[in-house]
Amino acid sequence: MPVRAEHDRAVLAELLGRDPVLHAYQLGDLDDFFWPYTSWFRRGNQVALLYHGVELPTLLAFAAPADSAELAALLTDLAPLLPARLWAHLSPRLDATLDRWFHLEDAAPHHRMALTDPARLARVTPAGAPLSPADLPELLALYAAAYPGNWFDPRMLDTGQYVGIREAGELVAVAGVHVWSPTWRVAALGNVTTHPRARGRGLGGAAVAALCARLRDSVDHVTLNVRADNTAAVRLYQRLGFTPVADFVECGLRARR
């Protein structure tokens, strides 16, 4: 069965919705907010997404172990059609599938985590207030000081799903989302950071707890991505009730031609 472009959101939602935690980011990208920046490819029941709304196009391809061979076949067909430079999030071993066409750069193992024990959030006192587009300058200053190089789309402030903590009037901690979709009932946390001089006091966890409380009524699945070697962040999220549910690799791809 050859790979083909897929333009039917209902078809994509049905396929991706079979594992909403693994495919939370792709489900969120079905929303009108992201849809214009997406190209979708399908082979059988497997789906790959090429997202164009960032400086480097980003390929997302995830599969359960039992389905990895079919997704590898999709990527084999798709590889010659991909841009010469891109970023990728790939289930384990799928990066090797692309080695014939691309040099792999800056590969880093990551965990997909999901909120599986929300009762643990009750042990953390939530803190913070919702941020709005008016807070963008402060937020950008915080990211420059505490999280340089992070992926942040200012449009995400329009969701109302960013929570910030201030001390003496200065924004010192924030928790936000990469994806928030009441339609598909999924969210992916992201852009979580604390100013270096305010770290070690639980502010990041308090902001995450406040954000998860806001998300409770609009989504069924709260997920996040974290580097596997970021042990401090992994432990924090585990204390908050998140569990690693899948592994994947983030890497750059540069065409061999």
Side-chain angles (χ1 to χ4, degrees), residues 133-147:
D135 299 302
L136 179 60
E138 281 187 279
L139 184 56
L140 292 177
L142 175 59
Y143 286 144
Y147 199 0

PDB file of all heavy atoms in Angstrom, residues 133-147:
ATOM      1  N   PRO A 133      -1.968  37.921  26.064  1.00  0.00           N
ATOM      2  CA  PRO A 133      -1.022  38.522  25.112  1.00  0.00           C
ATOM      3  C   PRO A 133      -0.353  39.786  25.626  1.00  0.00           C
ATOM      4  O   PRO A 133       0.773  40.106  25.211  1.00  0.00           O
ATOM      5  CB  PRO A 133      -1.899  38.797  23.892  1.00  0.00           C
ATOM      6  CG  PRO A 133      -2.945  37.722  23.941  1.00  0.00           C
ATOM      7  CD  PRO A 133      -3.244  37.567  25.401  1.00  0.00           C
ATOM      8  N   ALA A 134      -0.980  40.496  26.549  1.00  0.00           N
ATOM      9  CA  ALA A 134      -0.357  41.697  27.108  1.00  0.00           C
ATOM     10  C   ALA A 134       0.901  41.372  27.909  1.00  0.00           C
ATOM     11  O   ALA A 134       1.745  42.249  28.129  1.00  0.00           O
ATOM     12  CB  ALA A 134      -1.363  42.439  27.990  1.00  0.00           C
ATOM     13  N   ASP A 135       1.042  40.120  28.334  1.00  0.00           N
ATOM     14  CA  ASP A 135       2.201  39.709  29.123  1.00  0.00           C
ATOM     15  C   ASP A 135       3.367  39.227  28.262  1.00  0.00           C
ATOM     16  O   ASP A 135       4.387  38.792  28.800  1.00  0.00           O
ATOM     17  CB  ASP A 135       1.804  38.586  30.094  1.00  0.00           C
ATOM     18  CG  ASP A 135       0.736  39.026  31.075  1.00  0.00           C
ATOM     19  OD1 ASP A 135       0.976  39.997  31.801  1.00  0.00           O
ATOM     20  OD2 ASP A 135      -0.341  38.392  31.103  1.00  0.00           O
ATOM     21  N   LEU A 136       3.219  39.291  26.941  1.00  0.00           N
ATOM     22  CA  LEU A 136       4.240  38.734  26.054  1.00  0.00           C
ATOM     23  C   LEU A 136       5.635  39.302  26.303  1.00  0.00           C
ATOM     24  O   LEU A 136       6.603  38.527  26.381  1.00  0.00           O
ATOM     25  CB  LEU A 136       3.833  38.927  24.594  1.00  0.00           C
ATOM     26  CG  LEU A 136       4.829  38.402  23.552  1.00  0.00           C
ATOM     27  CD1 LEU A 136       5.050  36.903  23.714  1.00  0.00           C
ATOM     28  CD2 LEU A 136       4.334  38.724  22.136  1.00  0.00           C
ATOM     29  N   PRO A 137       5.833  40.611  26.417  1.00  0.00           N
ATOM     30  CA  PRO A 137       7.207  41.102  26.638  1.00  0.00           C
ATOM     31  C   PRO A 137       7.860  40.513  27.887  1.00  0.00           C
ATOM     32  O   PRO A 137       9.038  40.120  27.856  1.00  0.00           O
ATOM     33  CB  PRO A 137       7.021  42.621  26.758  1.00  0.00           C
ATOM     34  CG  PRO A 137       5.778  42.908  25.976  1.00  0.00           C
ATOM     35  CD  PRO A 137       4.876  41.729  26.246  1.00  0.00           C
ATOM     36  N   GLU A 138       7.108  40.442  28.992  1.00  0.00           N
ATOM     37  CA  GLU A 138       7.661  39.844  30.210  1.00  0.00           C
ATOM     38  C   GLU A 138       7.990  38.376  30.010  1.00  0.00           C
ATOM     39  O   GLU A 138       9.011  37.885  30.488  1.00  0.00           O
ATOM     40  CB  GLU A 138       6.650  39.977  31.349  1.00  0.00           C
ATOM     41  CG  GLU A 138       6.573  41.325  32.017  1.00  0.00           C
ATOM     42  CD  GLU A 138       5.668  41.251  33.228  1.00  0.00           C
ATOM     43  OE1 GLU A 138       4.430  41.309  33.037  1.00  0.00           O
ATOM     44  OE2 GLU A 138       6.185  41.114  34.355  1.00  0.00           O
ATOM     45  N   LEU A 139       7.105  37.673  29.313  1.00  0.00           N
ATOM     46  CA  LEU A 139       7.313  36.247  29.104  1.00  0.00           C
ATOM     47  C   LEU A 139       8.548  35.997  28.245  1.00  0.00           C
ATOM     48  O   LEU A 139       9.361  35.111  28.537  1.00  0.00           O
ATOM     49  CB  LEU A 139       6.074  35.630  28.459  1.00  0.00           C
ATOM     50  CG  LEU A 139       6.082  34.114  28.265  1.00  0.00           C
ATOM     51  CD1 LEU A 139       6.326  33.390  29.586  1.00  0.00           C
ATOM     52  CD2 LEU A 139       4.771  33.649  27.640  1.00  0.00           C
ATOM     53  N   LEU A 140       8.718  36.776  27.185  1.00  0.00           N
ATOM     54  CA  LEU A 140       9.901  36.625  26.338  1.00  0.00           C
ATOM     55  C   LEU A 140      11.173  36.921  27.117  1.00  0.00           C
ATOM     56  O   LEU A 140      12.207  36.252  26.924  1.00  0.00           O
ATOM     57  CB  LEU A 140       9.790  37.532  25.114  1.00  0.00           C
ATOM     58  CG  LEU A 140       8.699  37.166  24.104  1.00  0.00           C
ATOM     59  CD1 LEU A 140       8.649  38.199  22.980  1.00  0.00           C
ATOM     60  CD2 LEU A 140       8.925  35.774  23.536  1.00  0.00           C
ATOM     61  N   ALA A 141      11.132  37.900  28.007  1.00  0.00           N
ATOM     62  CA  ALA A 141      12.300  38.208  28.830  1.00  0.00           C
ATOM     63  C   ALA A 141      12.629  37.043  29.761  1.00  0.00           C
ATOM     64  O   ALA A 141      13.813  36.711  29.973  1.00  0.00           O
ATOM     65  CB  ALA A 141      12.054  39.485  29.626  1.00  0.00           C
ATOM     66  N   LEU A 142      11.592  36.426  30.329  1.00  0.00           N
ATOM     67  CA  LEU A 142      11.827  35.270  31.194  1.00  0.00           C
ATOM     68  C   LEU A 142      12.442  34.124  30.412  1.00  0.00           C
ATOM     69  O   LEU A 142      13.399  33.487  30.870  1.00  0.00           O
ATOM     70  CB  LEU A 142      10.512  34.830  31.848  1.00  0.00           C
ATOM     71  CG  LEU A 142      10.569  33.558  32.697  1.00  0.00           C
ATOM     72  CD1 LEU A 142      11.575  33.689  33.834  1.00  0.00           C
ATOM     73  CD2 LEU A 142       9.185  33.206  33.240  1.00  0.00           C
ATOM     74  N   TYR A 143      11.914  33.835  29.218  1.00  0.00           N
ATOM     75  CA  TYR A 143      12.475  32.748  28.423  1.00  0.00           C
ATOM     76  C   TYR A 143      13.915  33.044  28.015  1.00  0.00           C
ATOM     77  O   TYR A 143      14.760  32.139  27.979  1.00  0.00           O
ATOM     78  CB  TYR A 143      11.617  32.495  27.185  1.00  0.00           C
ATOM     79  CG  TYR A 143      10.307  31.789  27.487  1.00  0.00           C
ATOM     80  CD1 TYR A 143       9.142  32.096  26.794  1.00  0.00           C
ATOM     81  CD2 TYR A 143      10.238  30.810  28.469  1.00  0.00           C
ATOM     82  CE1 TYR A 143       7.948  31.452  27.065  1.00  0.00           C
ATOM     83  CE2 TYR A 143       9.052  30.167  28.755  1.00  0.00           C
ATOM     84  CZ  TYR A 143       7.908  30.488  28.056  1.00  0.00           C
ATOM     85  OH  TYR A 143       6.729  29.848  28.337  1.00  0.00           O
ATOM     86  N   ALA A 144      14.228  34.295  27.707  1.00  0.00           N
ATOM     87  CA  ALA A 144      15.604  34.645  27.345  1.00  0.00           C
ATOM     88  C   ALA A 144      16.561  34.381  28.495  1.00  0.00           C
ATOM     89  O   ALA A 144      17.702  33.948  28.285  1.00  0.00           O
ATOM     90  CB  ALA A 144      15.671  36.111  26.921  1.00  0.00           C
ATOM     91  N   ALA A 145      16.097  34.599  29.724  1.00  0.00           N
ATOM     92  CA  ALA A 145      16.948  34.416  30.891  1.00  0.00           C
ATOM     93  C   ALA A 145      16.998  32.970  31.365  1.00  0.00           C
ATOM     94  O   ALA A 145      18.031  32.499  31.858  1.00  0.00           O
ATOM     95  CB  ALA A 145      16.459  35.310  32.034  1.00  0.00           C
ATOM     96  N   ALA A 146      15.870  32.253  31.204  1.00  0.00           N
ATOM     97  CA  ALA A 146      15.754  30.941  31.846  1.00  0.00           C
ATOM     98  C   ALA A 146      15.646  29.774  30.882  1.00  0.00           C
ATOM     99  O   ALA A 146      15.908  28.632  31.266  1.00  0.00           O
ATOM    100  CB  ALA A 146      14.523  30.939  32.765  1.00  0.00           C
ATOM    101  N   TYR A 147      15.250  30.021  29.630  1.00  0.00           N
ATOM    102  CA  TYR A 147      14.966  28.913  28.720  1.00  0.00           C
ATOM    103  C   TYR A 147      15.285  29.329  27.289  1.00  0.00           C
ATOM    104  O   TYR A 147      14.439  29.249  26.405  1.00  0.00           O
ATOM    105  CB  TYR A 147      13.484  28.534  28.850  1.00  0.00           C
ATOM    106  CG  TYR A 147      13.089  27.163  28.337  1.00  0.00           C
ATOM    107  CD1 TYR A 147      14.014  26.286  27.768  1.00  0.00           C
ATOM    108  CD2 TYR A 147      11.761  26.749  28.417  1.00  0.00           C
ATOM    109  CE1 TYR A 147      13.631  25.047  27.301  1.00  0.00           C
ATOM    110  CE2 TYR A 147      11.364  25.500  27.951  1.00  0.00           C
ATOM    111  CZ  TYR A 147      12.297  24.663  27.397  1.00  0.00           C
ATOM    112  OH  TYR A 147      11.904  23.431  26.925  1.00  0.00           O
TER     113      TYR A 147
END
